[in-house]
Amino acid sequence: MASLTFLGTGDPLNEERAQTALAVPVGGDDLLLLDTSSGTILLRQLAAAEIALAEIRHILISHRHFDHVGGLAPLLVALVPAPAASVTIYALPETLQATRQLLTLTIPGLEEWLGERLRWQALTAEHPLSIGDATITPFTVEHGIECAGICLDRAGKRLVFSADTHPCPNLRRWANHADLLIHEAYSLDAEAPMAHRFGHSTAADAGRVAHTAAAQRLILTHFRSTAHVNPAALAAEATAFYGGPTELAIDLAQIDY
């Protein structure tokens, strides 16, 4: 059985939730972070989840929007005084370059402070990578900028994370027979033109992907605030198109799959 912890499940402007970050075990005491939320809120969420900073050995950034990469800088600064901490950061090439440039501009000297404890690795779409005892395969999705969905195979289970995307064939292909599909849900289908224009998916889109891919379980995430959309309505709409188990991601929830 595999597991993960949702550290953040909100969209960039959702004050009710932290922004996107997931902690996934990859063997031993090591953790992989998928995205890093929007800022110092990541450190608060890690503390609330009782995750020690030194456990985080791998960080994979799906894309360079601030609600996915904004917590990287404070996390790395927090690792500096922890001599046992070391981390490798993975991303597609443009994302990796932009992330390093941002750190250089905003925290000059950070890479020198961490030295060999900080490593960078560019990903190649659809080329699998071994991290701990997991196999990670990034694949491109459609969000208006370079963005990677993630297929993670571990312990005989397959997790697929959509990242931010409007509906695209590549996501449907990689979600095929996933044990767990974690899919963003920006809005109900009535607002599909706006969602797609911003590079996002509706709950119905998520349900269609899960149904077409015959995924075993669907969890919706990346929610706008309740002032804009009712999460329960998102779940109901996705279920209508999917028919399988559909859940709403919750900050700090740990799930097995």
Side-chain angles (χ1 to χ4, degrees), residues 175-232:
N176 193 40
H177 295 292
D179 294 282
L180 174 60
L181 172 61
I182 299 174
H183 199 298
E184 66 134 304
Y186 180 84
S187 70
L188 297 171
D189 223 29
E191 296 184 299
M194 179 179 64
H196 296 168
R197 184 170 68 251
F198 293 152
H200 291 289
S201 297
T202 68
D205 291 329
R208 293 183 189 107
V209 170
H211 175 75
T212 302
Q216 296 300 303
R217 183 180 177 190
L218 172 64
I219 298 183
L220 303 179
T221 191
H222 202 268
F223 302 118
R224 298 161 75 200
S225 73
T226 52
H228 295 288
V229 66
N230 180 349

Side-chain angles (χ1 to χ4, degrees), residues 61-97:
I61 305 297
S62 66
H63 64 293
R64 62 183 185 268
H65 282 159
F66 76 89
D67 56 317
H68 294 258
V69 74
L72 180 61
L75 175 57
L76 293 180
V77 171
L79 293 179
V80 171
S86 63
V87 68
T88 303
I89 300 169
Y90 309 83
L92 294 174
E94 290 181 18
T95 304
L96 200 71
Q97 181 181 18

Side-chain angles (χ1 to χ4, degrees), residues 90-248:
Y90 309 83
L92 294 174
E94 290 181 18
T95 304
L96 200 71
Q97 181 181 18
T99 300
R100 295 189 74 171
Q101 289 175 338
L102 178 64
L103 290 174
T104 298
L105 288 170
T106 57
I107 313 179
L110 176 61
E111 292 199 42
E112 294 178 8
W113 301 340
L114 285 166
E116 295 181 356
R117 295 190 288 141
L118 174 61
R119 295 172 294 276
W120 303 86
Q121 185 163 339
L123 299 174
T124 301
E126 305 200 8
H127 283 234
L129 173 71
S130 294
I131 299 179
D133 59 9
T135 299
I136 312 287
T137 308
F139 56 91
T140 56
V141 293
E142 299 179 13
H143 188 46
I145 62 171
E146 183 185 49
C147 187
I150 303 299
C151 177
L152 187 153
D153 292 291
R154 181 174 185 260
K157 298 291 185 179
R158 171 162 289 188
L159 160 69
V160 174
F161 171 54
S162 73
D164 288 6
T165 184
H166 63 64
C168 66
N170 214 28
L171 174 57
R172 290 191 289 270
R173 179 165 69 91
W174 280 95
N176 193 40
H177 295 292
D179 294 282
L180 174 60
L181 172 61
I182 299 174
H183 199 298
E184 66 134 304
Y186 180 84
S187 70
L188 297 171
D189 223 29
E191 296 184 299
M194 179 179 64
H196 296 168
R197 184 170 68 251
F198 293 152
H200 291 289
S201 297
T202 68
D205 291 329
R208 293 183 189 107
V209 170
H211 175 75
T212 302
Q216 296 300 303
R217 183 180 177 190
L218 172 64
I219 298 183
L220 303 179
T221 191
H222 202 268
F223 302 118
R224 298 161 75 200
S225 73
T226 52
H228 295 288
V229 66
N230 180 349
L234 295 174
E237 182 173 271
T239 301
F241 286 89
Y242 170 40
T246 304
E247 303 161 54
L248 298 169

